[in-house]
């Protein structure tokens, strides 16, 4: 049913987006926004959220669509919060490669990591 | 699956019926600014529900990104504010454009306010309604590029006069409500798509990552 719901959402997005010519989404959304919401709700642990995002990245590969903006950076934050600064660093780097618009902010986050903040 | 096919048919009918003509809206500042990246700040909440700000904030990346913008990771951005002692929307939205640009190098910032969020109980029915208004501001000039407001409600699905939108909304909500989350969060998703999808009358313009960028009628 999960799939049906995503498809429903995309249909709505299509209708709201206006005319008919590009119904195809730019990104593979999967559970990104829901995972962000769970981060706020504190109902699932950080490890579960990390697993969900990693699954989302695999899904995107399978669909041959890019992951949404922010996903790698969000994953990097979760890694950083759970004591994996080197994994966090490579996620910030991945965000930068996919979205050069994020570069100054990602550099800012990298610097904080190196500065030994938790 | 059968639901999906029915929905697709309805959507096709709607689309064949034609596209809405854009109403007059002054996009001159927006066109001139050509923002590529959008920083969404924690929404102000004037509804009674404490989850409103985060419920809405979690749902805004999709419409903005699908409209062609880079959207800064909302939770990471909030974390940075928190580490600098800013924990509420009032303080965060009060940070100057210059400062925001310095830290994030974003082209534009989106300021949101949630006025309705959550269930309200009426005599014969209850509904879950989410209303959000927003304005997009250029961080280089401080100039306002766009503003708008949108609402969505579970009650829409129950009234026949709302046509296709109501039916779609109802389908989305009845399906979604079986999953992990609460109804207001789901309705917030519909609201944010209405507010922040490009190509709608008086809506935002397409951004550079969209294939429709720059192709809108003048």
């Amino acid at each position: 049913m999960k799939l049906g719901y995503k498809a429903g959402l995309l249909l709505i997005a299509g209708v709201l987006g206006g005319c008919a010519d590009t119904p195809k989404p730019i990104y593979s959304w999967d559970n990104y926004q829901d995972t962000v919401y769970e981060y706020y709700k504190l109902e699932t642990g950080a490890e579960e959220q990390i697993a969900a995002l990693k699954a989302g990245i695999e899904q995107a590969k399978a669909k041959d669509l890019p992951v949404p903006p922010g996903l790698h950076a969000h994953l990097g934050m979760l890694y950083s919060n759970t004591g994996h600064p080197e994994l966090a660093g490579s996620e910030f780097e991945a965000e930068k490669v996919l979205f050069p618009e994020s570069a100054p902010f990602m550099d800012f986050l990298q610097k904080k990591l190196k500065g030994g903040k938790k | 699956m059968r639901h999906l096919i029915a929905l697709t048919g309805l959507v096709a009918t709607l689309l064949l019926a034609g596209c809405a003509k854009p109403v007059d809206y002054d996009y001159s500042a927006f066109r001139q600014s050509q923002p590529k990246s959008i920083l969404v700040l924690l929404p102000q909440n004037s509804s009674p529900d404490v989850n409103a700000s985060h419920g809405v904030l979690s749902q805004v990346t999709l419409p903005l990104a699908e409209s062609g913008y880079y959207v800064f990771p909302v939770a990471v951005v909030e974390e940075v504010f928190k580490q600098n002692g800013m924990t509420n929307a009032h303080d965060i939205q009060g940070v100057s454009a210059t400062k925001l640009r310095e830290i994030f190098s974003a082209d534009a910032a989106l300021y949101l306010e949630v006025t309705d969020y959550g269930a309200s109980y009426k005599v014969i029915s209850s509904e879950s309604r989410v209303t959000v208004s927003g304005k997009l501001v250029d961080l280089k000039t401080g100039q306002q590029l766009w503003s708008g407001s949108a609402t969505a409600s579970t009650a829409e699905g129950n009234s026949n006069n709302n046509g296709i939108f109501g039916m779609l909304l109802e389908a989305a909500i009845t399906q979604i409500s079986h999953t992990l989350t609460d109804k207001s969060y789901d309705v917030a998703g519909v609201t944010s798509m209405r507010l922040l999808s490009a190509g709608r009358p008086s809506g935002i313009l397409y951004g550079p990552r969209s294939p429709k960028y720059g192709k809108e009628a003048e």
Side-chain angles (χ1 to χ4, degrees), chain A residues 53-86:
Chain A
L53 291 179
K54 281 167 82 175
I57 294 172
E58 290 309 313
Q59 279 278 327
K61 274 189 200 140
K63 283 190 266 183
D64 200 22
L65 280 176
V67 296
L71 189 147
H72 281 291
H74 187 88
L75 181 55
M77 175 182 68
L78 294 174
Y79 276 137
S80 171
N81 292 348
T82 50
H84 298 98
E86 59 303 317

Side-chain angles (χ1 to χ4, degrees), chain A residues 12-91:
Chain A
I12 289 178
V15 171
L16 293 172
C19 305
D21 44 2
T22 48
K24 197 175 179 270
I26 303 179
Y27 303 105
S28 169
W29 288 92
D30 198 50
N31 52 18
Y32 172 54
Q33 297 199 120
D34 293 344
T35 310
V36 170
Y37 189 53
E38 281 168 33
Y39 172 77
Y40 291 124
K41 299 258 290 183
L42 305 169
E43 276 169 13
T44 54
E47 299 297 339
E48 279 170 275
Q49 293 168 32
I50 289 171
L53 291 179
K54 281 167 82 175
I57 294 172
E58 290 309 313
Q59 279 278 327
K61 274 189 200 140
K63 283 190 266 183
D64 200 22
L65 280 176
V67 296
L71 189 147
H72 281 291
H74 187 88
L75 181 55
M77 175 182 68
L78 294 174
Y79 276 137
S80 171
N81 292 348
T82 50
H84 298 98
E86 59 303 317
L87 290 174
S90 56
E91 293 303 327

